[in-house]
C-alpha cells in the first residue's frame, strides 16, 4: 500500500505545477459551463420584463463566458496531457534505472516483456491519473458552483445538490474497488503474455531448430487466453461500474428536476429560474459522469502503481559494498570456500596476468561467472580481488575492473562499430584489435557497409557464430584488467576457433583472463586449467598434463 502511494504521489508531485494550472483552467471551464444555463434564465427573465438594455448586457456577458470557457478547456487539456506524459516518462526512467541498476534484482522472476509492459503500459496508466485529478477537482468545483447558483435560485435545490453529491461520490469510490483489483490482474496477465511472446521471438531460430513450434504456440496460447479472460473480466467490471454510476447520476438529476418543477408550480421560482434550474441539472450530467471515468482511471492507476512499486522496491540482488578496487588493478583473484549452489567449497587462486581455463558442467560454469561478476553474492566463502572482498566493492566500480560475460549475451540495435566500441567508449585502436582477435573483422567485411552496417533486430540476421564473434570482440575492446568469458566460441567452426585462441592469448598478454569453457582450442593456449567436479576443484594442471593424466577431463574436452 505504502509503495503504491509513494509511486502515485511522487508521480503527481513531480507535475504539481502543471496539474495545478490544468486544474485551474478546467475549473474555469466548468464554472463557465455552469454559468451558461444560469445566464440563459436571467436573460429570459430580462426579456419577459422588457428591459432591452439589460438584455443586451447579459447577452454580452454570456458571449464573454463562452469565449473564456472555450480557451480554458483548450489550454487546460494541453496542460493535463503534458503532465500525464511527463509523469509517465519520469516513471519509465525510474523503472529503467532500477532494471539497469548495478546491484540487480529487478529482473528476478520477471520476463523482459513483463518489465517492458510495466515500463510502458503501467507507467502510462499512472500518468493518466494526472488528467483524472485535474478533471476530478474541476468536476467538484462544478458541482459546488452549481449548488451555489441553485442556492441563489432556491434554498431547497442548492441544499439538495450540496448534501446529495458527497454520498454519491463515496458510493462511486466504493464501487471502483472491484475494478481496481481486476485491472491489476488484467495488467499482470497481459504483461506475462507479452513476456512469453518476447521470449518466443528471441528464440525463434532455436524453436524451429528443435521443431518445437507447436509446443511454443500452445504455451503462448494458454497464457494469451488467461490474459484475454482477465481483460474481459476487467472490461465487464468497468462497464458495470460506468453503468451503475450513470444510473445513480441520472436518478440524482431526476430528483433535482422534479423538485425544481414542484417549486415552479408553487410559484416559488420564476420561469427563467425554472429554466436555469433544469439547465443546471442537465449540466450536472457532465461533472457526475466525470466522477465515473475519473474513478475508473484512479482505480487503474493505483493498480499500475502497485506493479511499478514492486519493481522499484524489489530487494537488491547484491547488498553492501561501497569501496572502489585498488588502482591500478593487478588482477589477482582469490576464492576461498566459495559456496553458491551448485558450487560447494571452491578454493582457487588466479595470479595477476594469468590466462586460466576452467572446465565445469554448465550449471557450475554459469554460477561461477555470475559470482565473479558479482551478479549475485555467494551464500558462503569469499572472493577477493587484489586482496579486497568483492562484497566490499561497489558493483559499478567493480565492473569497471572485472568484466564477466555470460554465455548468452545480447547485441543491441545500432552499427557494428557501436556494438563493439561500447557506443564509442572503447579506443579505436582497441576496437580494431578486438575485431581481429575475435575474427569479427571477417564479419564486417561480409556486411554491405562494413563497420557502419546496422545490426537491426539484435543482429538476428547474422549466424550464431557471427554474433558470438561480435560479442567476444565487444568484451575484448573494453580491455578490462580482469576478463571472465563463458563459452565464447561454441557456435564457431574449429578453424576459426583455433585462430581466435592464438590471437586471444596475444591480446590479453599480461591481463588476467578466465576462460570458462570446454573448448580444446581455447584450453590449449591457457597457462593452467582448473577442473570443477561436484562443485569443487578436483584437478589442476596444463591442458597437456590433464589430457594425459585425467580421464574425466579427456572425456569432457575431447568428446
Amino acid at each position: 500500500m505504502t509503495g503504491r502511494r509513494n509511486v502515485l504521489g511522487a508521480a503527481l508531485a513531480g507535475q504539481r505545477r502543471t496539474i495545478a494550472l490544468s486544474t485551474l483552467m478546467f475549473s474555469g471551464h466548468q464554472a463557465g459551463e455552469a454559468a451558461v444555463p444560469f445566464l440563459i434564465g436571467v436573460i429570459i427573465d430580462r426579456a419577459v420584463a422588457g428591459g432591452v438594455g439589460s438584455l443586451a448586457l447579459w447577452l454580452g456577458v454570456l458571449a464573454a463566458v463562452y469565449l473564456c470557457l472555450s480557451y480554458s478547456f483548450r489550454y487546460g487539456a494541453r496542460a493535463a496531457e503534458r503532465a500525464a506524459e511527463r509523469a509517465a516518462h519520469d516513471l519509465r526512467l525510474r523503472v529503467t534505472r532500477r532494471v539497469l541498476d548495478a546491484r540487480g534484482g529487478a529482473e528476478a522472476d520477471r520476463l523482459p516483456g513483463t518489465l517492458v509492459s510495466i515500463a510502458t503500459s503501467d507507467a502510462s496508466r499512472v500518468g493518466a491519473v494526472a488528467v483524472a485529478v485535474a478533471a476530478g477537482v474541476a468536476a467538484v468545483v462544478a458541482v459546488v458552483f452549481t449548488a451555489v447558483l441553485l442556492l441563489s435560485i432556491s434554498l431547497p435545490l442548492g441544499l439538495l445538490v450540496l448534501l446529495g453529491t458527497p454520498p454519491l461520490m463515496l458510493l462511486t469510490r466504493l464501487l471502483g474497488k472491484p475494478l481496481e483489483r481486476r485491472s491489476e490482474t488484467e495488467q499482470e496477465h497481459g504483461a506475462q503474455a507479452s513476456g512469453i511472446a518476447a521470449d518466443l521471438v528471441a528464440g525463434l531460430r532455436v524453436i524451429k531448430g528443435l521443431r518445437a513450434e507447436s509446443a511454443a504456440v500452445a504455451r503462448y496460447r494458454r497464457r494469451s487466453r488467461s490474459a484475454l479472460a482477465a481483460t474481459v473480466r476487467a472490461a465487464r467490471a468497468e462497464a458495470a461500474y460506468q453503468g451503475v454510476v450513470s444510473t445513480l447520476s441520472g436518478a440524482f438529476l431526476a430528483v433535482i428536476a422534479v423538485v425544481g418543477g414542484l417549486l415552479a408550480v408553487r410559484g416559488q421560482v420564476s420561469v427563467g429560474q425554472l429554466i436555469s434550474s433544469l439547465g443546471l441539472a442537465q449540466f450536472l450530467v457532465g461533472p457526475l459522469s466525470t466522477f465515473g471515468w475519473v474513478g475508473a482511471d484512479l482505480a487503474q492507476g493505483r493498480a499500475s502503481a502497485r506493479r511499478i512499486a514492486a519493481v522499484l522496491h524489489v530487494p537488491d540482488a547484491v547488498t553492501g559494498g561501497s569501496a572502489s578496487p585498488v588502482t591500478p588493478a593487478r588482477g589477482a583473484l582469490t576464492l576461498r570456500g566459495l559456496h553458491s549452489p551448485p558450487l560447494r567449497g571452491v578454493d582457487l587462486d588466479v595470479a595477476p596476468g594469468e590466462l586460466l581455463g576452467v572446465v565445469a558442467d554448465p550449471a557450475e560454469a554459469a554460477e561461477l561467472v555470475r559470482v565473479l561478476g558479482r551478479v549475485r553474492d555467494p551464500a558462503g566463502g569469499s572472493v577477493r580481488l587484489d586482496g579486497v572482498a568483492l562484497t566490499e566493492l561497489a558493483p559499478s566500480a567493480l565492473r569497471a575492473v572485472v568484466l564477466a560475460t555470460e554465455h548468452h549475451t545480447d547485441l543491441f540495435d545500432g552499427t557494428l562499430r557501436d556494438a563493439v566500441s561500447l557506443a564509442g567508449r572503447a579506443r579505436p585502436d582497441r576496437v580494431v584489435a578486438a575485431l581481429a582477435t575475435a575474427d569479427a573483422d571477417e564479419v564486417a567485411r561480409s556486411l554491405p557497409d562494413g563497420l557502419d552496417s546496422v545490426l537491426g533486430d539484435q543482429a538476428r540476421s547474422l549466424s550464431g557464430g557471427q554474433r558470438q564473434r561480435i560479442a567476444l570482440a565487444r568484451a575484448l575492446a573494453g580491455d578490462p584488467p580482469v576478463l571472465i568469458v563463458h563459452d565464447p566460441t561454441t557456435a564457431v567452426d574449429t578453424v576459426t576457433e583455433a585462430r581466435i585462441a592464438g590471437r586471444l592469448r596475444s591480446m590479453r598478454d599480461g591481463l588476467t583472463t578466465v576462460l570458462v569453457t570446454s573448448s580444446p582450442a581455447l584450453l590449449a593456449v591457457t597457462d593452467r586449467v582448473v577442473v570443477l567436479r561436484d562443485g569443487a576443484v578436483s584437478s589442476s594442471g596444463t591442458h597437456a598434463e590433464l589430457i594425459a593424466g585425467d580421464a574425466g577431463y579427456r572425456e569432457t574436452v575431447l568428446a
Side-chain angles (χ1 to χ4, degrees), residues 156-409:
L157 285 175
L159 289 176
L160 179 61
V161 173
L162 282 176
L163 298 177
T165 301
L168 183 63
M169 294 177 63
L170 177 60
L171 187 57
T172 299
R173 171 74 180 88
L174 295 176
L175 291 172
K177 285 292 186 180
L179 175 60
E180 182 177 336
R181 291 191 296 270
R182 292 191 177 186
S183 177
E184 184 173 10
T185 303
E186 172 204 0
Q187 285 293 91
E188 186 66 35
H189 281 281
Q192 290 175 1
S194 298
I196 291 174
D199 263 12
L200 293 180
V201 171
L204 193 58
R205 287 190 176 185
V206 176
I207 292 171
K208 288 184 175 180
L210 296 174
R211 304 180 69 84
E213 295 95 329
S214 58
V217 169
R219 180 190 176 208
Y220 177 72
R221 183 182 290 115
R222 286 193 300 271
R223 179 54 65 185
S224 180
R225 284 176 175 171
S226 297
L228 175 61
T231 301
V232 170
R233 286 193 296 270
R236 285 174 178 169
E238 182 172 3
Y241 171 80
Q242 296 285 7
V244 172
V245 170
S246 296
T247 301
L248 292 173
S249 300
F252 183 53
L253 295 176
V255 171
I256 295 174
V258 169
V259 172
L262 291 174
L263 291 174
V265 169
R266 294 172 181 173
Q268 296 177 353
V269 295
S270 67
V271 174
Q273 289 174 328
L274 175 61
I275 292 174
S276 292
S277 299
L278 294 175
L280 287 169
Q282 183 63 35
F283 161 72
L284 279 175
V285 172
L288 293 177
S289 63
T290 296
F291 293 144
W293 70 258
V294 165
D297 278 10
L298 287 173
Q300 292 175 343
R302 284 191 293 266
S304 289
R306 266 196 297 269
R307 287 166 47 76
I308 292 174
V311 173
L312 296 180
H313 301 151
V314 68
D316 294 335
V318 293
T319 57
S322 58
S324 297
V326 177
T327 54
R330 294 171 55 245
L333 292 172
T334 306
L335 285 66
R336 290 290 179 269
L338 177 62
H339 182 81
S340 185
L343 301 176
R344 300 180 180 86
V346 176
D347 292 309
L348 177 63
D349 291 293
V350 184
E354 182 178 14
L355 179 57
L356 178 72
V358 176
V359 177
D361 71 37
E364 292 173 349
E367 187 64 16
L368 179 65
V369 173
R370 294 189 190 104
V371 171
L372 292 179
R374 212 186 168 203
V375 173
R376 67 177 55 138
D377 289 330
S382 66
V383 181
R384 293 181 175 273
L385 171 66
D386 295 334
V388 180
L390 295 193
T391 53
E392 297 178 11
L393 301 174
S396 56
L398 170 66
R399 287 166 195 157
V401 175
V402 178
L403 175 59
T405 63
E406 298 187 33
H407 177 53
H408 296 288
T409 60

Side-chain angles (χ1 to χ4, degrees), residues 435-455:
L435 286 165
T437 299
D439 209 46
D441 51 353
E442 184 273 333
V443 178
R445 288 192 295 271
S446 69
L447 297 175
D449 297 318
L451 287 176
D452 294 317
S453 298
V454 176
L455 304 175

Side-chain angles (χ1 to χ4, degrees), residues 17-214:
R17 291 184 179 179
T18 309
I19 293 174
L21 174 62
S22 173
T23 301
L24 179 63
M25 301 299 288
F26 274 157
S27 297
H29 167 261
Q30 290 291 288
E33 289 275 14
V36 167
F38 179 80
L39 291 173
I40 290 175
V42 172
I43 290 169
I44 290 174
D45 282 343
R46 292 295 183 274
V48 172
V52 177
S54 178
L55 176 62
L57 172 64
W58 284 103
L59 285 173
V61 172
L62 181 62
V65 168
Y66 265 115
L67 184 65
C68 290
L69 70 86
S70 174
Y71 276 94
S72 294
F73 180 80
R74 179 185 302 179
Y75 290 105
R78 286 183 183 179
E81 289 298 332
R82 184 162 58 249
E85 291 301 324
R86 286 178 176 173
H89 177 68
D90 290 344
L91 279 176
R92 291 187 192 104
L93 291 180
R94 288 183 64 189
V95 172
T96 301
R97 290 192 192 101
R98 181 62 191 91
V99 171
L100 297 178
D101 189 277
R103 296 185 182 276
E107 72 285 358
D109 301 323
R110 293 183 179 90
L111 292 171
T114 302
L115 292 171
V116 170
S117 176
I118 291 171
T120 52
S121 178
D122 284 308
S124 294
R125 284 190 171 188
V126 174
V129 173
V131 179
V133 167
V137 173
V140 171
V141 169
V143 171
V144 172
F145 188 61
T146 300
V148 171
L149 293 178
L150 286 172
L151 281 172
S152 69
I153 296 172
S154 167
L155 183 61
L157 285 175
L159 289 176
L160 179 61
V161 173
L162 282 176
L163 298 177
T165 301
L168 183 63
M169 294 177 63
L170 177 60
L171 187 57
T172 299
R173 171 74 180 88
L174 295 176
L175 291 172
K177 285 292 186 180
L179 175 60
E180 182 177 336
R181 291 191 296 270
R182 292 191 177 186
S183 177
E184 184 173 10
T185 303
E186 172 204 0
Q187 285 293 91
E188 186 66 35
H189 281 281
Q192 290 175 1
S194 298
I196 291 174
D199 263 12
L200 293 180
V201 171
L204 193 58
R205 287 190 176 185
V206 176
I207 292 171
K208 288 184 175 180
L210 296 174
R211 304 180 69 84
E213 295 95 329
S214 58

